[in-house]
Amino acid sequence: MGPKALYLGLLCLLFAYYFYTPIPSNIEERWKVRILDAMIKTCTFTATCLENIGIMRSEDFLSILLRLDYTQPFSDENVTVSDLTFVGIPVRLYLPKRKPEIPRRAVIYFHGGSYCLGSFKQTGFDLLNRWTSSTLEAVVLAVDYRLAPQHVFPAQFEDSFAAVKYFLQDEVLMKYEVDPTRICISGDSAGGALAAAVTQQVQNDLQIKHKIKAQALLYPHLQIIDSFFPSHQENEHGIFLTKDLVIKFLTLYLGKDEALFWAIKKNHHMPLESRYLFQFANWSILLPEKYRKGFVYTEPILGKSRISLPALTDIRTSPLLANDTQLKNLPATYILTCQYDIIRDDGLMYVSRLQKVGVHVTNDHIEDGLHGALSFMAFPISLKLGLRIRDLYISWLDKNL
Ligand SMILES: *[C@@H]1O[C@H](CO)[C@@H](O)[C@H](O)[C@H]1NC(C)=O
Ligand SMILES: *[C@@H]1O[C@H](CO)[C@@H](O)[C@H](O)[C@H]1NC(C)=O
Ligand SMILES: *[C@@H]1O[C@H](CO)[C@@H](O)[C@H](O)[C@H]1NC(C)=O
């Protein structure tokens, strides 16, 4: 038996192992979810093997797989779609074909992918943005910010902010017949962090004339300072996304090595002088009772790792750490959270923080929800859950934008 056959055999075994790992009983389309989860974990395992034997970096392998799912900018009967660049940043623009009677609403979208992977070109995101544009007769702008590890923080934020700033200019809004008072910033997962951070920046920047009317954060990532939230503990080996993978990508995003990976994993990574920030991200206070029941709060150990990294305390990596004054100016907010999501509590705690300062916030919590479901909206890997999330998001936008 050659090494290829051996490897194939090993992969089949692994697939079977992942496939038979129990999953919660309230999850819809359990078979499909199991197959998808086993496929993702087998791919991630293969990526790690390739990295360990020195063939290629794991994120490069995953990125090649994702590229198979990229779409061209094709127009349909309702929407004209084109790929452009705004101040050098790749964007995909969806313009409704029907002539508007009044200026249109607009949605700016940042895709997920752990700051290292993905594009608005992925089928799931293309379908979502196309659907948003056609259903709401809105202009949709999807932004491809630079990715790690080639580009580390703050490149992702800077591109996102620059594209938004460009779009918010009078001439540009006029060109696309956008109503400057009806603009939303949206994003999922890592894109949710970028959406939240850019919205904070726009609302608090005196030089930007047009403000944002709404923000929509779909299972967002919102903080790096604590890696022991109940959702981190509950979903450590979670469906679709595991704790090790999240921390690995964060380490790449922050441009650091294994030392940071292990420090975050043990919750030893924050410096002593960051103690005051925990008032904004202390789950024993900010997380609703329902989600912290059965968990014992342990304080992160500060100053142990001696890692000095300003990005760890920056609100552009962790929008949850903005103070109340900075949060007060935020627009109407939609936050969708999923029960079986390792970063679930980020979203739930942002809901608490925003409610406290009087921001209008809607939280749809999906009891059988899974992180990343929006990526599974088309044959052959469509989940009803993806469509449910899409419909909740669109219906909130329709009422609030
Ligand atoms: C275009 O819009 C109509 C009316 O909303 C809808 O029935 C049709 O499915 C849309 N076409 C596409 C390609 O989405
Ligand atoms: C979090 O809040 C608890 C009170 O519920 C407190 O005892 C603890 O010191 C806080 N943690 C930090 C790091 O501030
Ligand atoms: C909130 O943060 C801003 C920006 O860092 C700072 O200027 C302001 O003083 C802070 N406000 C409070 C109440 O701490």
Side-chain angles (χ1 to χ4, degrees):
M1 201 160 63
K4 271 191 196 142
L6 198 69
Y7 180 64
L8 202 68
L10 181 67
L11 276 192
C12 290
L13 269 180
L14 203 71
F15 185 89
Y17 167 73
Y18 290 134
F19 185 78
Y20 286 107
T21 311
I23 63 171
S25 59
N26 64 335
I27 284 173
E28 188 182 33
E29 300 184 287
R30 288 162 61 85
W31 266 87
K32 269 201 212 166
V33 169
R34 282 184 135 145
I35 293 173
L36 271 174
D37 183 46
M39 273 168 50
I40 292 171
K41 291 199 171 125
T42 310
C43 290
T44 320
F45 176 82
T46 308
T48 310
C49 289
L50 291 172
E51 179 163 301
N52 289 344
I53 57 180
I55 293 184
M56 65 165 86
R57 287 215 298 248
S58 61
E59 62 278 7
D60 291 341
F61 176 73
L62 296 174
S63 168
I64 290 170
L65 292 182
L66 271 187
R67 263 164 223 277
L68 300 173
D69 184 39
Y70 282 10
T71 56
Q72 293 298 318
F74 66 91
S75 301
D76 62 33
E77 56 184 305
N78 301 322
V79 186
T80 305
V81 181
S82 37
D83 283 359
L84 312 167
T85 58
F86 279 2
V87 284
I89 297 154
V91 297
R92 183 169 284 184
L93 191 70
Y94 300 79
L95 292 176
K97 281 195 172 153
R98 181 128 53 101
K99 267 264 150 245
E101 280 148 32
I102 51 170
R104 297 175 172 118
R105 302 182 271 191
V107 175
I108 305 169
Y109 195 89
F110 298 110
H111 69 82
S114 307
Y115 312 100
C116 299
L117 299 171
S119 164
F120 56 62
K121 296 180 179 139
Q122 283 166 254
T123 309
F125 297 129
D126 184 61
L127 285 175
L128 178 68
N129 289 326
R130 187 179 291 279
W131 182 262
T132 309
S133 178
S134 117
T135 319
L136 303 179
E137 300 216 15
V139 173
V140 176
L141 178 76
V143 180
D144 267 5
Y145 47 87
R146 280 170 292 168
L147 299 173
Q150 286 78 14
H151 305 280
V152 302
F153 172 80
Q156 290 74 357
F157 172 85
E158 281 171 353
D159 287 1
S160 305
F161 185 56
V164 169
K165 215 169 152 183
Y166 178 85
F167 186 69
L168 290 180
Q169 297 174 101
D170 281 324
E171 315 83 84
V172 181
L173 296 175
M174 208 127 67
K175 177 170 171 191
Y176 300 120
E177 297 173 90
V178 170
D179 181 344
T181 65
R182 299 178 80 188
I183 298 169
C184 175
I185 297 185
S186 305
D188 67 288
S189 194
L194 294 168
V198 169
T199 304
Q200 288 180 358
Q201 208 80 18
V202 170
Q203 300 308 84
N204 292 309
D205 186 333
L206 298 176
Q207 280 165 9
I208 299 180
K209 182 170 85 178
H210 297 306
K211 297 299 176 193
I212 300 303
K213 176 159 190 205
Q215 64 174 336
L217 314 175
L218 310 169
Y219 39 79
H221 176 249
L222 294 170
Q223 62 88 32
I224 307 181
I225 71 169
D226 193 332
S227 61
F228 272 21
F229 286 174
S231 61
H232 296 128
Q233 300 176 44
E234 233 172 279
N235 301 292
E236 180 169 357
H237 306 290
I239 302 170
F240 303 158
L241 193 62
T242 63
K243 186 162 175 175
D244 280 358
L245 206 59
V246 171
I247 300 177
K248 182 184 164 98
F249 284 133
L250 279 177
T251 306
L252 295 173
Y253 175 44
L254 300 173
K256 289 284 170 184
D257 54 16
E258 289 250 313
L260 181 67
F261 175 92
W262 289 107
I264 297 182
K265 195 162 157 139
K266 294 188 194 135
N267 221 14
H268 285 173
H269 57 296
M270 294 302 290
L272 265 181
E273 60 279 13
S274 67
R275 174 161 270 280
Y276 76 100
L277 286 172
F278 284 86
Q279 62 183 304
F280 306 130
N282 188 329
W283 66 260
S284 77
I285 300 165
L286 289 165
L287 195 63
E289 164 80 26
K290 175 182 165 199
Y291 304 98
R292 53 184 155 89
K293 231 180 18 219
F295 290 90
V296 179
Y297 180 76
T298 48
E299 290 221 2
I301 297 173
L302 305 183
K304 186 167 179 196
S305 70
R306 304 193 186 287
I307 289 169
S308 163
L309 188 58
L312 286 174
T313 55
D314 195 313
I315 60 169
R316 295 170 304 167
T317 62
S318 302
L320 182 61
L321 302 182
N323 67 35
D324 289 355
T325 317
Q326 291 164 307
L327 293 187
K328 269 196 194 113
N329 298 328
L330 292 180
T333 300
Y334 180 71
I335 300 182
L336 182 132
T337 47
C338 292
Q339 179 64 19
Y340 304 113
D341 177 4
I342 178 161
I343 58 173
R344 174 197 71 198
D345 297 343
D346 290 26
L348 292 172
M349 287 167 67
Y350 206 41
V351 171
S352 302
R353 297 253 359 252
L354 294 179
Q355 276 170 344
K356 261 198 190 151
V357 296
V359 170
H360 173 71
V361 44
T362 307
N363 176 213
D364 277 333
H365 181 73
I366 307 197
E367 286 297 342
D368 60 340
L370 303 167
H371 188 87
L374 283 170
S375 300
F376 308 117
M377 282 202 294
F379 183 81
I381 44 170
S382 71
L383 292 180
K384 288 184 194 148
L385 174 64
L387 299 178
R388 255 198 288 152
I389 292 177
R390 178 196 72 183
D391 292 343
L392 286 168
Y393 162 62
I394 296 292
S395 109
W396 184 85
L397 281 181
D398 198 25
K399 291 191 202 100
N400 292 276
L401 182 59

